[in-house]
Amino acid sequence: QLSPSGERLITSTELASHGIKSTESKEAATAGGHTIWLSILGRVFDVTSGGPSYYGPKGSYNFYSGRDASPCFHSGKNNEEGAAVNLEEWEDDKHLMSVYDWSQFYEKHETYQFMGVLINSKYYDENGEETDVRKDIVERASKAKIIADKEKEARKKARLEKRKADREKNMKK
């Protein structure tokens, strides 16, 4: 089934079937063509190409497989408690920016494949339509990114001006 925008609709049960148990061996994790999926902000990606070394039983990102653990991408609290945090309640939009940056990493990755949207989640409704919660998170994160980029550029400009002034001062000596 597809959303009105043509994206595949994925249930939490289907997503979970592409998770890796931390007790499985690396070989068992991808045996028989088993694929590894994760979701961030309700967008599901096949990360099998990252392999068991990242997403497998002993991989540092194992917790992310088979679920949407969006808050964990900022907090690093890779457990059920960390995944249950409500991003929409975060007051610091730079934290949201961090999660959104990770989502863009998956969107733009050379080998990770976008599979569809996680329906009946806080990010997409049962028809695959983006929820107001997701829209708000993306908008706040995008605005924070613009501000952060401007601040970074201003710091860079100030450093270059200071270097230039220091060089000129040293030349006068």
Side-chain angles (χ1 to χ4, degrees):
Q1 197 173 5
L2 300 177
S3 73
S5 59
E7 296 169 320
R8 181 174 170 200
L9 305 181
I10 298 171
T11 65
S12 58
T13 303
E14 183 180 10
L15 176 60
S17 74
H18 293 276
I20 301 294
K21 295 180 183 84
S22 60
T23 55
E24 288 181 286
S25 69
K26 279 188 177 184
E27 295 74 26
T30 54
H34 180 81
T35 55
I36 306 169
W37 292 4
L38 64 75
S39 174
I40 181 166
L41 296 176
R43 296 184 61 80
V44 179
F45 298 90
D46 180 335
V47 295
T48 309
S49 65
S53 58
Y54 290 111
Y55 302 99
K58 305 291 183 208
S60 53
Y61 301 112
N62 171 260
F63 180 76
Y64 298 86
S65 74
R67 72 181 76 228
D68 190 305
S70 295
C72 302
F73 281 92
H74 171 75
S75 71
K77 294 178 183 171
N78 298 339
N79 55 37
E80 297 295 336
E81 181 184 344
V85 170
N86 290 319
L87 292 175
E88 63 273 20
E89 294 175 3
W90 288 0
E91 293 181 13
D92 188 341
D93 291 350
K94 286 184 180 179
H95 296 325
L96 294 176
M97 182 182 74
S98 154
V99 175
Y100 187 68
D101 283 349
W102 272 109
S103 75
Q104 293 305 293
F105 165 81
Y106 287 98
E107 291 279 354
K108 296 173 183 174
H109 197 276
E110 291 178 8
T111 59
Y112 296 163
Q113 183 180 357
F114 173 69
M115 301 304 293
V117 296
L118 183 61
I119 59 169
N120 296 316
S121 68
K122 68 170 63 179
Y123 308 113
Y124 289 91
D125 68 15
E126 66 276 0
N127 299 314
E129 295 284 347
E130 190 177 31
T131 64
D132 288 341
V133 167
R134 187 178 193 287
K135 288 176 187 175
D136 181 60
I137 289 169
V138 170
E139 180 181 345
R140 288 172 53 201
S142 298
K143 287 179 180 177
K145 176 83 170 144
I146 291 168
I147 292 167
D149 287 347
K150 286 180 181 177
E151 290 171 350
K152 182 179 178 182
E153 191 60 36
R155 287 190 306 271
K156 180 179 178 181
K157 183 178 178 183
R159 279 193 314 273
L160 292 174
E161 288 173 359
K162 183 176 180 338
R163 283 185 199 150
K164 182 180 176 184
D166 288 346
R167 275 194 307 268
E168 289 172 359
K169 183 179 173 183
N170 288 335
M171 292 174 92
K172 289 179 182 178
K173 288 184 179 180

